[in-house]
Amino acid sequence: KTILDNLENHGAINVTDSVLGGIVGRADGKQTISNSRNYADITYTGSISATKDSQAYIGGIVGRNATGSIDGCSNYGSITSESNLQKIGGIVGRTGKSKISNCVYGYTKEEASQGKTQPSFNVTSNFCGGIVGSVDEVATISNCMNYVNLSQTSNSCLGGIAGLSNKAGVKFDSCSNYGNITGIMSVGGIAGRAVNTVTFTGCANNGIVKIGETEASQDVGQENATTDAKKKIPGKIIGNIATGTLTIN
């Protein structure tokens, strides 16, 4: 079992590759990545074609994670991308069956007041989150915090912690969002969209969550495939769920 512990990156990343992370691009094994920090800004300038290429995966710590654990990692770098077919997260772009715990994107309010510059997150892609872009297998996300304002100017699925929960049984435990979130469709303070059964336990949103001028006023929003932003309702906890059971404790 591979253990990567206490690593740091300070060099800016500006690439066109389809899988990239501040510490690890692609983690395919049951490795543990812990106590590592990225301070570099990440800019993706590549182009992904739906007919030619797979999706791109971009993460502040790991681009694509298979089944490994990620614990105690922090990202303080900005993320910018103008490509559509991506999964982008402040910590992990895409994760499989794994545990992600005690991870943080950005500086606390106290740290920012002491002169730390808060990173920015400006994307156009689907499936974007402050911690994980897309949770594609049964996974547990616990005690993770996002402090960064998130902006998605096209496409859908934007969440303070995760953009998309893609399998039945995903769990979010004691996660909090403090950043303001502005998206287009399927926008939530903790998760943007769940495809199937998902559980939120002890999670809280402390930021402003908006689609256009519509601000979240309820835990669960709704998706409406219309150009009228007033009919797309963001949620304080989740933007919407397609099917299955939604549990908020």
Side-chain angles (χ1 to χ4, degrees):
K1 182 177 180 179
T2 301
I3 298 176
L4 301 177
D5 183 63
N6 197 29
L7 303 177
E8 281 193 5
N9 176 51
H10 292 264
I13 302 171
N14 189 330
V15 298
T16 60
D17 292 338
S18 59
V19 182
L20 63 108
I23 301 297
V24 177
R26 182 167 180 160
D28 285 337
K30 293 184 178 180
Q31 71 292 316
T32 296
I33 301 171
S34 57
N35 305 313
S36 295
R37 298 158 296 281
N38 175 60
Y39 294 91
D41 293 342
I42 297 174
T43 303
Y44 180 79
T45 56
S47 177
I48 301 295
S49 167
T51 58
K52 182 180 179 181
D53 305 299
S54 62
Q55 290 179 317
Y57 307 100
I58 300 170
I61 299 297
V62 182
R64 177 172 177 169
N65 179 53
T67 57
S69 297
I70 301 172
D71 179 66
C73 292
S74 303
N75 176 32
Y76 303 105
S78 297
I79 297 178
T80 305
S81 175
E82 295 183 357
S83 182
N84 293 331
L85 297 171
Q86 296 175 314
K87 296 181 177 182
I88 304 174
I91 299 296
V92 187
R94 179 265 186 200
T95 194
K97 187 177 181 180
S98 63
K99 293 182 179 180
I100 299 174
S101 56
N102 306 307
C103 291
V104 176
Y105 185 26
Y107 295 103
T108 66
K109 183 177 180 180
E110 291 74 20
E111 289 171 328
S113 69
Q114 294 170 5
K116 299 289 187 180
T117 301
Q118 197 71 280
S120 61
F121 185 97
N122 297 294
V123 299
T124 59
S125 176
N126 285 305
F127 317 130
C128 300
I131 299 298
V132 185
S134 183
V135 184
D136 285 351
E137 299 292 341
V138 179
T140 299
I141 318 298
S142 61
N143 197 35
C144 291
M145 311 291 170
N146 173 59
Y147 295 97
V148 177
N149 294 337
L150 309 177
S151 174
Q152 183 187 53
T153 55
S154 65
N155 290 297
S156 65
C157 299
L158 176 66
I161 300 299
L164 179 68
S165 172
N166 209 16
K167 288 286 185 180
V170 174
K171 296 179 180 180
F172 296 87
D173 185 12
S174 302
C175 293
S176 295
N177 171 63
Y178 295 88
N180 295 334
I181 302 172
T182 304
I184 304 298
M185 186 167 67
S186 298
V187 180
I190 302 299
R193 175 177 171 83
V195 173
N196 212 315
T197 297
V198 63
T199 300
F200 300 90
T201 302
C203 294
N205 172 62
N206 300 281
I208 297 172
V209 182
K210 298 177 72 174
I211 295 177
E213 296 302 315
T214 303
E215 183 175 336
S217 60
Q218 56 196 33
D219 284 346
V220 184
Q222 70 180 42
E223 177 181 340
N224 195 315
T226 173
T227 56
D228 185 354
K230 293 181 180 179
K231 295 182 180 180
K232 301 174 184 178
I233 310 299
K236 290 183 177 181
I237 298 297
I238 186 170
N240 64 81
I241 181 169
T243 188
T245 301
L246 170 63
T247 302
I248 301 175
N249 297 318

